[in-house]
Amino acid sequence: MEVSCVWPLIFITILRLCRVHALLPIPIISMEEKIKIDEETKVTCSLPASECRCLEVELRIITEEKLKNCVSHKGNFPNVTCTLEVTKDMHEVELSCEAHFRTKSKPQKLNIQSEPEFTDCPDKLIWIDGQENSFHCKAKGYPPPTVTCVKDSTVYTEGEKFTTHKNMSGDFNCRAANFDVVSKMVTVSVQYEPRISIIIVQPSEAIEEGENLTLSCEADAVPPPSYSWHTPTTQLIYDYDNRTIQIKDAKRIHDGYYICIAQNKLGIQMLKQKITVNEPEIISATDSNLAKESKGNGAEKMGPAFSGLFSVLLLLSFYYLF
């Protein structure tokens, strides 16, 4: 029973060996067509095609004669070429080509589980409002960690493209997670051009000559803007950052448009405000006397009428009494 079981195994092994050898490519040896005595000639051993990329192959030219300057080439069409010094005694000398194969498996990587670790994640980022951006927080570990950054319940995946808005300024919690989790804070500053909301005028936009007035320009920008003004006159008082200007003892030359200019490296915006300076109302002495006379004349006109009415009332009272 044991002998009968061995023979099938031997037969299967022989079949496998034959199959392997049948699959192996056969090397080819090639030489020049016209070979002359006392000259060098090239002899090449090569494989016909790259059918066995999984095999390492070594090609050899086999002969009893002395070969020199052998050069090997690897790749899709491996070959070896040698130089042979030809003599008349070499007629009908045999040369053959041998291919020696070494098989190997495909490489496999050894994957060792490791907790996540940030490798490239800056503490601070500067973005421009309206431009396309993304978080570039790289982390290593196995399995490869997933990196996300969160602010106000909004989650951004590492590398995800989005349009930046100024309300995105602030601290983001960036997390790298696989079987473990690590996190770090990333501070984002979104820069944007100036936006002037209002020019505040105190006490009002219309004043009389001799009064005081203040204009303050309110602008929002990152980085903070610089301020300048275009005004009807230079007779003004500026504060330390030019955001506020004052008019002392207003005159007619202060009447006109005041333009606030707010500017940073990203842009510029302007807003204008009209200021009116009125002349004060002047009452002359003649007009004052006329006003007094009109009051006096009114009293005199009312005097006789009042006396007549009093007399009538007095007579009626006597009539009813007696």
Side-chain angles (χ1 to χ4, degrees):
M1 294 293 293
E2 293 180 358
V3 173
S4 61
C5 292
V6 170
W7 280 108
L9 292 174
I10 295 174
F11 180 72
I12 292 172
T13 303
I14 293 172
L15 286 177
R16 288 181 176 177
L17 290 173
C18 292
R19 184 181 178 187
V20 169
H21 285 286
L23 293 174
L24 292 176
I26 299 174
I28 299 173
I29 189 165
S30 58
M31 295 175 284
E32 297 177 0
E33 293 182 0
K34 297 180 180 180
I35 302 175
K36 297 181 180 180
I37 298 175
D38 298 330
E39 291 185 1
E40 293 183 346
T41 186
K42 300 290 186 182
V43 181
T44 300
C45 175
S46 62
L47 290 179
S50 56
E51 297 175 358
C52 290
R53 295 183 181 180
C54 59
L55 301 177
E56 288 187 0
V57 62
E58 180 184 352
L59 297 174
R60 297 177 185 173
I61 298 174
I62 307 301
T63 180
E64 295 179 354
E65 304 300 329
K66 185 177 180 181
L67 300 170
K68 64 178 183 179
N69 301 328
C70 293
V71 179
S72 298
H73 296 279
K74 296 182 179 181
N76 292 338
F77 299 94
N79 63 78
V80 60
T81 301
C82 298
T83 301
L84 175 66
E85 291 184 359
V86 180
T87 65
K88 64 179 180 179
D89 298 329
M90 293 182 182
H91 183 65
E92 294 187 348
V93 168
E94 292 185 352
L95 295 93
S96 63
C97 179
E98 289 184 354
H100 299 265
F101 296 95
R102 292 190 300 271
T103 61
K104 63 178 182 179
S105 68
K106 292 183 179 179
Q108 297 290 333
K109 293 182 179 180
L110 181 64
N111 295 317
I112 301 174
Q113 192 178 57
S114 59
E115 64 275 5
E117 178 184 352
F118 283 108
T119 57
D120 181 16
C121 191
D123 297 329
K124 296 181 180 180
L125 294 172
I126 297 177
W127 295 338
I128 306 299
D129 181 38
Q131 292 187 358
E132 188 178 72
N133 282 291
S134 63
F135 283 95
H136 295 285
C137 282
K138 305 296 183 182
K140 64 180 182 179
Y142 191 83
T146 300
V147 179
T148 56
C149 295
V150 183
K151 178 179 180 288
D152 299 333
S153 301
T154 303
V155 181
Y156 301 92
T157 304
E158 196 278 331
E160 174 190 356
K161 300 292 185 180
F162 51 80
T163 301
T164 305
H165 302 285
K166 69 174 186 176
N167 58 2
M168 295 177 69
S169 291
D171 293 330
F172 286 78
N173 182 21
C174 293
R175 303 169 71 252
N178 52 18
F179 67 91
D180 199 0
V181 178
V182 294
S183 62
K184 67 171 296 183
M185 299 303 295
V186 176
T187 301
V188 173
S189 176
V190 180
Q191 298 184 346
Y192 49 93
E193 63 184 12
R195 298 163 188 174
I196 302 176
S197 57
I198 191 173
I199 296 177
I200 300 174
V201 182
Q202 293 179 338
S204 66
E205 302 169 2
I207 59 174
E208 293 186 357
E209 286 186 330
E211 294 183 346
N212 299 332
L213 183 139
T214 301
L215 295 93
S216 296
C217 188
E218 298 289 340
D220 181 29
V222 176
S226 60
Y227 293 90
S228 60
W229 293 81
H230 182 74
T231 60
T233 178
T234 58
Q235 295 183 17
L236 303 165
I237 300 174
Y238 293 83
D239 67 351
Y240 70 97
D241 62 356
N242 287 344
R243 191 177 68 86
T244 301
I245 57 177
Q246 298 181 36
I247 300 174
K248 296 288 187 180
D249 189 17
K251 299 178 176 60
R252 291 290 297 167
I253 59 173
H254 292 108
D255 188 282
Y257 284 99
Y258 289 74
I259 302 175
C260 172
I261 305 169
Q263 182 177 10
N264 64 8
K265 65 179 183 179
L266 299 177
I268 183 172
Q269 189 181 30
M270 296 179 289
L271 185 64
K272 66 181 180 179
Q273 176 65 54
K274 178 71 168 63
I275 297 299
T276 303
V277 180
N278 298 314
E279 294 182 357
E281 184 179 355
I282 299 175
I283 300 176
S284 64
T286 304
D287 295 337
S288 177
N289 292 334
L290 290 174
K292 291 180 180 179
E293 290 177 2
S294 62
K295 291 180 181 180
N297 292 336
E300 291 174 357
K301 290 178 181 178
M302 290 179 63
F306 181 78
S307 299
L309 178 61
F310 180 75
S311 301
V312 172
L313 293 173
L314 184 60
L315 291 172
L316 289 173
S317 61
F318 276 105
Y319 175 80
Y320 282 107
L321 287 175
F322 299 101

